[in-house]
Amino acid sequence: MTDAQGGPSLGPTLSEWISARDETERHLAAAAGSPVDAKWVQRLADLLATERSWQDQYTDLLALGSAGGHFPSSNR
């Protein structure tokens, strides 16, 4: 997973992150207007954890090219 310059390739990780976000969105949309149960909540928690994991991996890859190898913290 490297790009033409020999560094890490961001595309596959970004693609997986977007895929995880889409799956989370589909899960939320499927329950719109209906009551949720413990199984639904657990699935949502798992999806959000997966999405966060891909987001962290993508951020870490971006940080490799920044000064000091650290991505700046958010102002949010």
Side-chain angles (χ1 to χ4, degrees), residues 2 20 31 41 57 67:
T2 59
V41 172
Q57 290 179 52

Side-chain angles (χ1 to χ4, degrees), residues 23-34 40:
E23 187 176 357
T24 302
E25 183 179 8
R26 285 191 304 273
H27 184 70
L28 290 169
S34 63
W40 184 90

Side-chain angles (χ1 to χ4, degrees), residues 3-47:
D3 66 12
Q5 292 88 23
S9 177
L10 300 176
T13 303
L14 178 59
S15 175
E16 290 297 328
W17 177 19
I18 291 170
S19 176
R21 291 184 70 191
D22 291 343
E23 187 176 357
T24 302
E25 183 179 8
R26 285 191 304 273
H27 184 70
L28 290 169
S34 63
V36 298
D37 59 12
K39 184 178 177 181
W40 184 90
V41 172
Q42 182 61 57
R43 178 70 177 141
L44 179 60
D46 293 345
L47 288 169

